[in-house]
Amino acid sequence: MKSTFSIILILALFSLLGCDVGDDKANNANNVNNTNNANNVNNTNNTNYTELKSDLARDEDPAVDPGDYEDIIAGINQFHFDCYGELAGLDDGNIIYSPWSITTALAMTWAGAANNTETEMASVMHFPASQSTLHGGLNQLDLYLESLGTGDPLAFTLSSTNSIWGQEGYSFEQAFLDVLALNYGAGLNLLDFATDPEAGRLIINDWVSQKTAGRIDELLAQGTLDSLTRMVLVNTLYFKAKWMSQFAPDATGPATFHTIGGSDVTVDFMTQDGSALPYYEGTGYKAVELPYVGDDTSMVVIMPDAGTFSTFEASLDAATLGTIVDSLEITPTLFLTMPKFNFSYGKSLKPILESLGMNDAFVMGTADFTNMHQPLELYISDVIHEAFIGIDEAGTEAGAATAVIMSGFGDVIDFTVDSPFLFFIRDNETGVILFAGRVTDPS
């Protein structure tokens, strides 16, 4: 990444909470016709929609092997470095995104994948081979993170929510709905994309805005959804926390920041006595950790030596980051000065995921999501991600949202030309017939 900030922000942005769910029970048949089995009425943006939910309650005590649990966390972190490498090659400016949000949205989608589509997605996302292991592990991590916090939402808020939006009258596999309910606390909200995709887009955007304190108000741009949209799987992440050691506002003042392009800009810098902050100066870089209230989460800031940012950035991996974090120690003589900043970032992840090897999932007719819907029809038309971050003297506010958009073929009409037929070659502008004929025996 060629960022205008020569700072890498390693954010612990994780999940707390499952999505809002109702009490309605789905039909226990293998396929569920959603219109006939959903009665719960919700209201978003003054528009009613119904929710279909499996009759399974969320598993509040998933049994996950400790080794598998560690591997899932390592996989999320490895996906970060894979994805970051792709993003850095596309953008010169600031980057903010959430590996957790992307992983969660695609994990819910993976629950409906089969055969080579399932294999490719698992490889790119570093998922374990077992579906039940992944979903149980993410559920366990989600429940653990839900337990964090100080009890004071003004001091610490960390929440992740899931919602699934499906086409009215479209059949979804019961086993797929069970996975969403059991591990993600998510039901299926029904919308009529086929008739009015724009209304559906506004409802989903309104839901996302509510879950991100109004900071992400248009995750899905106009035209993103169309009449062939069959499902949208969404994860939102919202984080707001105060620094354990806050910066004094009256100590903030303008100073010069040297951009990666060689130019200088003047921005507001915050300062504080950093004697309580873990710090480490390694070969070619300096690093500091800023804990948040509760001391369960923190921001690690790493600044490479001048002129070495791109090289350092390209070499940073999970092992190196782990070494840096392990090396941090309280340094009584530290005085910290850093800039305030606030920015957002949005991106279609489709080309990035394709570059990493997730190909079949995006190809109509090749993608296999038959564990979500039968027959073979659904494919991922796009994966949209948006995130924001702002830090000031008091703390940090950050959020992210990911939407996986599933499209179908529409109403398939099987037309096989296997008996005598007429043909016409004509000019489309004038309608004049240039050639005409018939075929009674094509042999």
Side-chain angles (χ1 to χ4, degrees), residues 272-281 287-289 327-336:
Q272 69 163 281
D273 173 5
S275 59
L277 301 177
Y279 171 81
Y280 180 68
E281 185 170 345
V288 65
E289 181 179 18
S327 301
L328 295 166
E329 295 181 347
I330 299 296
T331 305
T333 57
L334 179 66
F335 187 80
L336 178 64

Side-chain angles (χ1 to χ4, degrees), residues 413-423 438-442:
I413 299 174
D414 187 7
F415 177 26
T416 303
V417 183
D418 57 1
S419 61
F421 60 93
L422 302 170
F423 67 87
R438 71 177 185 185
V439 176
T440 59
D441 181 357

Side-chain angles (χ1 to χ4, degrees), residues 55-108:
D55 57 2
L56 295 179
R58 185 173 183 180
D59 185 356
E60 300 289 344
D61 187 24
V64 181
D65 179 82
D68 290 335
Y69 187 65
E70 292 178 2
D71 288 345
I72 289 169
I73 294 172
I76 295 172
N77 291 340
Q78 184 56 54
F79 172 71
H80 153 68
F81 285 100
D82 294 345
C83 186
Y84 183 86
E86 296 293 324
L87 291 172
L90 296 174
D91 293 288
D92 292 331
N94 303 323
I95 293 176
I96 171 68
Y97 74 107
S98 169
W100 168 264
S101 180
I102 299 168
T103 295
T104 301
L106 285 171
M108 292 190 294

Side-chain angles (χ1 to χ4, degrees), residues 94-216:
N94 303 323
I95 293 176
I96 171 68
Y97 74 107
S98 169
W100 168 264
S101 180
I102 299 168
T103 295
T104 301
L106 285 171
M108 292 190 294
T109 309
W110 191 57
N115 299 314
N116 195 58
T117 301
E118 181 182 15
T119 301
E120 281 190 352
M121 291 183 70
S123 176
V124 169
M125 301 305 300
H126 302 280
F127 290 160
S130 166
Q131 286 265 356
S132 61
T133 297
L134 174 74
H135 303 306
L138 290 179
N139 188 20
Q140 181 172 317
L141 179 56
D142 190 55
L143 292 168
Y144 158 71
L145 293 166
E146 183 179 352
S147 69
L148 301 181
T150 63
D152 179 2
L154 297 178
F156 186 94
T157 298
L158 177 61
S159 64
S160 175
T161 53
N162 305 308
S163 66
I164 319 297
W165 308 81
Q167 171 64 42
E168 290 181 355
Y170 202 68
S171 62
F172 296 97
E173 295 294 304
Q174 182 63 49
F176 171 68
L177 297 179
D178 288 347
V179 170
L180 299 184
L182 191 67
N183 300 284
Y184 301 95
L188 184 68
N189 303 312
L190 303 178
L191 298 172
D192 190 1
F193 298 116
T195 301
D196 195 349
E198 177 63 9
R201 182 186 75 91
L202 294 175
I203 289 172
I204 296 171
N205 280 345
D206 187 63
W207 184 88
V208 170
S209 180
Q210 291 179 30
K211 300 302 180 182
T212 58
R215 294 296 302 272
I216 298 177

Side-chain angles (χ1 to χ4, degrees), residues 215-402:
R215 294 296 302 272
I216 298 177
D217 58 7
E218 194 176 28
L219 174 66
L220 302 176
Q222 191 168 14
T224 302
L225 308 184
D226 58 29
S227 61
L228 296 180
T229 299
R230 294 294 174 262
M231 175 180 282
V232 182
L233 302 97
V234 184
N235 170 269
T236 64
L237 182 65
Y238 182 73
F239 175 81
K240 187 173 184 179
K242 292 182 178 180
W243 303 119
M244 184 176 292
S245 176
Q246 296 188 18
F247 297 82
D250 58 4
T252 298
T256 299
F257 188 91
H258 310 289
T259 72
I260 195 170
S263 62
D264 291 342
V265 295
T266 300
V267 297
D268 282 340
F269 277 73
M270 309 177 295
T271 61
Q272 69 163 281
D273 173 5
S275 59
L277 301 177
Y279 171 81
Y280 180 68
E281 185 170 345
T283 303
Y285 65 89
K286 297 176 182 177
V288 65
E289 181 179 18
L290 291 84
Y292 295 105
V293 167
D295 206 21
D296 291 311
T297 58
S298 65
M299 174 183 286
V300 175
V301 176
I302 306 172
M303 187 180 73
D305 290 349
T308 68
F309 180 85
S310 297
T311 302
F312 181 89
E313 175 191 46
S315 67
L316 186 64
D317 56 20
T320 303
L321 176 60
T323 298
I324 293 172
V325 171
D326 290 341
S327 301
L328 295 166
E329 295 181 347
I330 299 296
T331 305
T333 57
L334 179 66
F335 187 80
L336 178 64
T337 302
M338 63 182 294
K340 296 172 63 173
F341 57 86
N342 189 323
F343 68 91
S344 60
Y345 179 82
K347 183 71 64 177
S348 166
L349 299 179
K350 178 181 177 181
I352 292 168
L353 294 167
E354 288 176 326
S355 179
L356 292 174
M358 189 186 299
N359 297 302
D360 283 10
F362 295 102
V363 180
M364 181 175 63
T366 300
D368 189 342
F369 288 99
T370 50
N371 287 335
M372 182 184 297
H373 165 82
Q374 294 190 27
L376 186 74
E377 181 176 281
L378 290 177
Y379 67 100
I380 300 176
S381 56
D382 211 345
V383 179
I384 308 294
H385 186 71
E386 185 174 343
F388 70 89
I389 185 171
I391 74 166
D392 59 18
E393 293 86 353
T396 299
E397 183 183 23
T402 306

Side-chain angles (χ1 to χ4, degrees), residues 424-436:
F424 306 89
I425 300 176
R426 57 190 293 277
D427 173 69
N428 293 329
E429 179 67 22
T430 63
V432 63
I433 297 173
L434 303 177
F435 299 92

